[in-house]
Amino acid sequence: MKVTINDVAKQAGVSIKTVSRVMNNEPSVRKDTFDKVMAAINELHYQPNSAARNLASTRSYSIGYIYDNPNAYYIIDMQKGLLDSCKKHGYELLIHPTNAKSPGIVEEVKELVSKSRLAGLILTPPFSEMPHIAQALEEMKVDFVRIVSGSTPSPGVHNCVLIDDFTAAFKITNHLLELGHTEIAFLCGDEEHSSSGERLAGFKAALTKRGLQVNPKFIVPGHYSFESGVEGAKKLMTLPKKPTAIFACNDEIAAGALFSARLMNIRIPEQLSIAGFENSPFSRQTWPPLTTAHQPNSIIASQAAELLFKHTRPNANKAQINAQPVFIPELLVRESTCPASC
Amino acid sequence: MKVTINDVAKQAGVSIKTVSRVMNNEPSVRKDTFDKVMAAINELHYQPNSAARNLASTRSYSIGYIYDNPNAYYIIDMQKGLLDSCKKHGYELLIHPTNAKSPGIVEEVKELVSKSRLAGLILTPPFSEMPHIAQALEEMKVDFVRIVSGSTPSPGVHNCVLIDDFTAAFKITNHLLELGHTEIAFLCGDEEHSSSGERLAGFKAALTKRGLQVNPKFIVPGHYSFESGVEGAKKLMTLPKKPTAIFACNDEIAAGALFSARLMNIRIPEQLSIAGFENSPFSRQTWPPLTTAHQPNSIIASQAAELLFKHTRPNANKAQINAQPVFIPELLVRESTCPASC
DNA sequence: AATTTTTTGACCAGCGCTGTCATCATTTAA
DNA sequence: TTAAATGATGACAGCGCTGGTCAAAAAATT
């Protein structure tokens, strides 16, 4: 019933050690031996027992994903991408939702790593931006890959996947500018998330490039939440000089702004254009559907996992790995934005 | 650094066998010995090495959650509840999103169970309603708990958590009836999901109880999706005799109906009341916010896991476990419904 | 005080695999 | 052609725990 390494060894006519070598792609296996073993593995549908591997080996075959993000769609997409890569490389994924602001968070992460003997970790914001987390992990000598907002790879850093929020925000703002808007407001996300800062920077850069002033009253601090969008839009639309377009830091905020506009009987997009960011499924389902920027989350996640596996692989030369993939979210024009004079 | 069973034994002044007995709550351990061991465990922060346990023992310490549900919020809530229980009992959770309609789905589940040596499985719709899955799992002698739609525990079945969709739908319908609506339509979810059938039955029962006829034209087949709601509402509102209220089988459908109504310039709730089901986060964020039924998903999930652990525990008497917890989603009235004459 | 019952420990095998090191085969250099 | 270096392979111990057996010790019962 259960196929073990012994069965494979017998079938291939080699020692179990050689099978082990093949399984872990260790060097020093002759091509024909390798093929013999592979044939036996396939024939018997051999699946190494991960418990035994974990026990015998210093390294383990599971990685962790720590997150604290209210955006369920984002998380599900991330999990999907991570699972794809894990499956491909025979790893297990342990998910760990938690509260990033809890005081004992570093201890919690450390305990998770040591208890589950994780081979590595994937961090998304806000964890990817917490220096004490990164530091603790480095001290523990655990590999990890961070998914962070940024456009330019930093030299020497080999464990990052970058999301170019700056450029994407620049593009969205440009879209609004091209529609003839000049009075454009910005609804910020959480300050702790650098994505919010990057998007704001992209927004400002686009305005500046057109020779427009950035009106500080049009930059509203807030959070990545629907409620924040409701509040922010309310604040903006009761200003003596109102914006004709709002760029919200994500779709939830945009949805909140939409909601708020409706409360104030402001027609979207005729009287006010609203753009979001992220392309959450519900951005197609608001009324009107949101202009936004699309982020291929599960692809990003699986790339992050691939990067991690490159590190954790026994014979990996870490210095050699300096790829820092950069993803630029794409502009997606829908019905929540229209020309300024419309 | 690493605490093993030997350290605990030394600390407690007992043999490792006794520690093992305590860890696996085997009988024949005196109270004070038990306490001594527990004290040592706590003092040393002993965490049994799950790889070693898995390897040595016939049973394992991880459970699986298989799902195929487009509703990210639901999944996240379920995961949350499952993780809570897993943590409490020292189990690991392996998530496995997949396609329920794939032809090789039974094989896939079997492989998952055998490869990851799962102690048990949690199934939600549609998996919890697929007889061939249940049968395969029984053949493999793997414990599993199903979360299904239903109001009356079936005798002899000890591995179900029930969601009383019937009663909840009855309540929602009653709410609409009490508002004076008599022309109420129903937008169905997927036929394969028995929740859709249960909700429809509750709907019909409420009408019948009031002495009202069920108008077959007002019962629109569909799917658990936004698009289906858009279509369904369109169909209904172009009927010569239109309904004054729509009960959608879930919030997504309701959101679609809302969207559709807006396309047709129908004011909600003045001209048409719409109710959903599920209390997804976005049901608060539509315009107007949806009247719906709240389902405490993460509590349901953690109860399901508890039930599973009762089975998998070594000395469990399965016959004794006949609890089938029943959850009744609660009516939540918001602004998408109002009196018929409003 | 003698007997039965319960609790505990010592010991061993073994789960399926990897790490270490020794051995054998092959290539390269002298 | 032979010694040395290199490459390929296998024997064996052991990772940390469970499960079983059996005997000794302790407690409860008569």
Side-chain angles (χ1 to χ4, degrees):
Chain A
M1 186 71 239
K2 189 144 292 169
V3 184
T4 78
I5 197 170
N6 290 292
D7 304 321
V8 178
K10 210 168 291 173
Q11 169 96 4
V14 298
S15 73
I16 63 164
K17 182 65 221 190
T18 299
V19 178
S20 170
R21 288 198 177 93
V22 171
M23 289 309 295
N24 298 287
N25 55 76
E26 284 173 30
S28 303
V29 177
R30 266 212 327 257
K31 178 77 170 61
D32 59 327
T33 324
F34 182 91
D35 292 342
K36 261 195 309 192
V37 173
M38 281 311 272
I41 287 172
N42 290 326
E43 204 166 322
L44 300 174
H45 297 292
Y46 171 60
Q47 296 274 21
N49 177 322
S50 56
R53 291 183 110 178
N54 280 326
L55 184 59
S57 168
T58 47
R59 76 212 149 91
S60 88
Y61 294 85
S62 41
I63 66 169
Y65 173 34
I66 303 186
Y67 54 90
D68 173 11
N69 193 314
N71 187 335
Y73 294 110
Y74 178 75
I75 302 300
I76 290 286
D77 278 353
M78 289 293 304
Q79 289 181 352
K80 182 81 172 41
L82 294 176
L83 283 167
D84 286 347
S85 286
C86 282
K87 191 167 189 183
K88 200 169 136 197
H89 295 269
Y91 278 70
E92 260 174 17
L93 177 68
L94 259 47
I95 57 175
H96 191 81
T98 185
N99 180 2
K101 286 180 180 159
S102 124
I105 187 65
V106 174
E107 283 312 310
E108 187 181 331
V109 172
K110 277 182 163 181
E111 194 190 313
L112 173 73
V113 170
S114 69
K115 184 187 163 186
S116 303
R117 308 181 78 235
L118 296 181
L121 276 171
I122 300 285
L123 303 178
T124 45
F127 293 104
S128 57
E129 289 163 359
M130 293 162 67
H132 47 303
I133 295 273
Q135 199 189 324
L137 294 176
E138 264 157 19
E139 278 168 15
M140 295 184 82
K141 306 221 181 283
V142 190
D143 282 308
F144 59 97
V145 167
R146 295 178 301 138
I147 297 175
V148 297
S149 191
S151 46
T152 40
S154 351
V157 176
H158 54 270
N159 60 351
C160 267
V161 174
L162 298 170
I163 314 283
D164 190 351
D165 286 306
F166 178 92
T167 304
F170 189 94
K171 283 196 214 162
I172 291 191
T173 313
N174 245 343
H175 160 69
L176 295 171
L177 289 167
E178 275 164 14
L179 289 173
H181 293 279
T182 51
E183 306 301 316
I184 311 177
F186 187 87
L187 294 178
C188 301
D190 296 71
E191 253 182 285
E192 306 90 276
H193 287 58
S194 66
S195 60
S196 177
E198 289 284 322
R199 289 171 198 175
L200 177 57
F203 168 75
K204 285 181 177 170
L207 290 189
T208 308
K209 197 173 177 201
R210 286 264 166 155
L212 292 172
Q213 288 289 324
V214 176
N215 180 348
K217 290 210 170 140
F218 279 2
I219 298 189
V220 185
H223 302 281
Y224 281 126
S225 75
F226 182 83
E227 287 72 21
S228 179
V230 175
E231 284 307 307
K234 191 170 146 198
K235 208 171 288 174
L236 284 170
M237 299 314 279
T238 50
L239 244 38
K241 186 171 171 64
K242 302 174 180 51
T244 63
I246 293 179
F247 176 9
C249 216
N250 80 350
D251 290 338
E252 283 213 50
I253 301 177
L258 230 44
F259 188 98
S260 200
R262 192 150 304 120
L263 277 177
M264 297 182 282
N265 284 312
I266 295 167
R267 276 174 299 127
I268 312 290
E270 296 83 354
Q271 294 175 276
L272 178 68
S273 284
I274 296 181
F277 203 108
E278 251 175 39
N279 191 26
S280 312
F282 67 78
S283 68
R284 278 182 298 115
Q285 307 177 352
T286 54
W287 179 263
L290 285 170
T291 290
T292 189
H294 173 68
Q295 226 170 279
N297 290 319
S298 64
I299 295 176
I300 293 171
S302 85
Q303 284 247 357
E306 294 287 342
L307 203 52
L308 183 60
F309 296 144
K310 273 190 199 151
H311 294 179
T312 53
R313 191 152 312 150
N315 306 311
N317 181 346
K318 292 190 193 179
Q320 265 181 20
I321 304 167
N322 62 352
Q324 281 181 72
V326 180
F327 289 89
I328 306 179
E330 250 173 72
L331 175 66
L332 221 61
V333 178
R334 289 199 281 239
E335 288 82 51
S336 67
T337 52
C338 77
S341 52
C342 157
Chain B
M1 186 72 239
K2 189 142 290 167
V3 186
T4 78
I5 197 170
N6 291 291
D7 304 320
V8 177
K10 210 168 290 172
Q11 168 93 4
V14 299
S15 73
I16 65 163
K17 182 73 218 189
T18 300
V19 178
S20 173
R21 287 194 178 103
V22 170
M23 290 307 296
N24 298 288
N25 55 75
E26 284 174 28
S28 302
V29 178
R30 260 207 338 244
K31 179 78 170 60
D32 59 326
T33 322
F34 182 90
D35 291 342
K36 261 194 311 192
V37 173
M38 282 311 269
I41 287 172
N42 290 326
E43 204 166 321
L44 299 174
H45 297 293
Y46 171 61
Q47 297 276 17
N49 178 323
S50 57
R53 289 183 108 178
N54 279 325
L55 186 57
S57 166
T58 47
R59 75 212 148 89
S60 91
Y61 294 85
S62 42
I63 66 167
Y65 173 36
I66 302 186
Y67 54 90
D68 174 10
N69 193 314
N71 188 337
Y73 294 110
Y74 177 74
I75 301 301
I76 290 285
D77 279 352
M78 290 292 304
Q79 289 181 352
K80 182 80 174 39
L82 295 176
L83 282 167
D84 287 347
S85 286
C86 282
K87 191 167 188 182
K88 200 168 136 197
H89 295 269
Y91 278 71
E92 260 174 17
L93 178 69
L94 258 47
I95 57 175
H96 192 81
T98 186
N99 180 2
K101 287 181 180 160
S102 120
I105 188 63
V106 174
E107 283 312 309
E108 188 182 328
V109 172
K110 277 183 164 180
E111 194 190 311
L112 173 73
V113 170
S114 69
K115 185 186 162 186
S116 303
R117 306 184 76 236
L118 297 181
L121 276 171
I122 301 285
L123 304 178
T124 45
F127 293 104
S128 56
E129 291 162 357
M130 293 163 68
H132 46 304
I133 296 274
Q135 197 189 325
L137 293 176
E138 264 158 19
E139 279 169 15
M140 295 183 82
K141 306 221 181 281
V142 190
D143 282 309
F144 60 97
V145 167
R146 295 178 301 138
I147 297 174
V148 297
S149 192
S151 46
T152 40
S154 350
V157 175
H158 55 268
N159 59 351
C160 266
V161 174
L162 298 170
I163 315 282
D164 189 352
D165 286 306
F166 178 92
T167 304
F170 189 94
K171 283 197 217 163
I172 291 191
T173 313
N174 245 341
H175 160 70
L176 294 171
L177 289 167
E178 275 163 15
L179 289 171
H181 294 279
T182 51
E183 306 301 318
I184 311 177
F186 187 88
L187 294 178
C188 301
D190 297 72
E191 254 183 283
E192 306 91 275
H193 287 59
S194 67
S195 58
S196 178
E198 288 286 321
R199 290 173 196 175
L200 177 57
F203 167 76
K204 285 182 178 170
L207 290 188
T208 309
K209 198 176 175 200
R210 286 263 166 157
L212 292 171
Q213 289 289 324
V214 176
N215 179 347
K217 288 208 172 143
F218 279 1
I219 298 188
V220 185
H223 304 281
Y224 281 126
S225 75
F226 182 84
E227 287 71 22
S228 179
V230 175
E231 283 307 306
K234 190 169 149 197
K235 208 172 287 172
L236 284 170
M237 299 313 281
T238 50
L239 243 39
K241 186 172 171 63
K242 301 173 181 52
T244 64
I246 294 179
F247 175 10
C249 215
N250 78 351
D251 290 337
E252 284 213 50
I253 300 177
L258 229 44
F259 187 99
S260 200
R262 191 147 306 119
L263 276 178
M264 295 180 284
N265 284 311
I266 296 166
R267 276 173 300 125
I268 312 292
E270 296 83 355
Q271 294 176 276
L272 177 68
S273 285
I274 297 182
F277 203 107
E278 252 175 39
N279 190 26
S280 310
F282 68 79
S283 68
R284 279 183 297 116
Q285 308 177 351
T286 54
W287 180 262
L290 286 170
T291 290
T292 187
H294 173 69
Q295 224 170 281
N297 291 319
S298 63
I299 296 175
I300 293 172
S302 82
Q303 284 247 358
E306 293 289 340
L307 203 54
L308 184 59
F309 295 144
K310 273 189 199 150
H311 293 179
T312 54
R313 192 152 310 151
N315 306 311
N317 182 344
K318 292 192 193 179
Q320 265 180 19
I321 305 167
N322 63 351
Q324 280 182 73
V326 180
F327 289 89
I328 306 178
E330 249 173 72
L331 176 65
L332 220 61
V333 177
R334 288 197 283 239
E335 288 81 52
S336 67
T337 52
C338 77
S341 52
C342 159

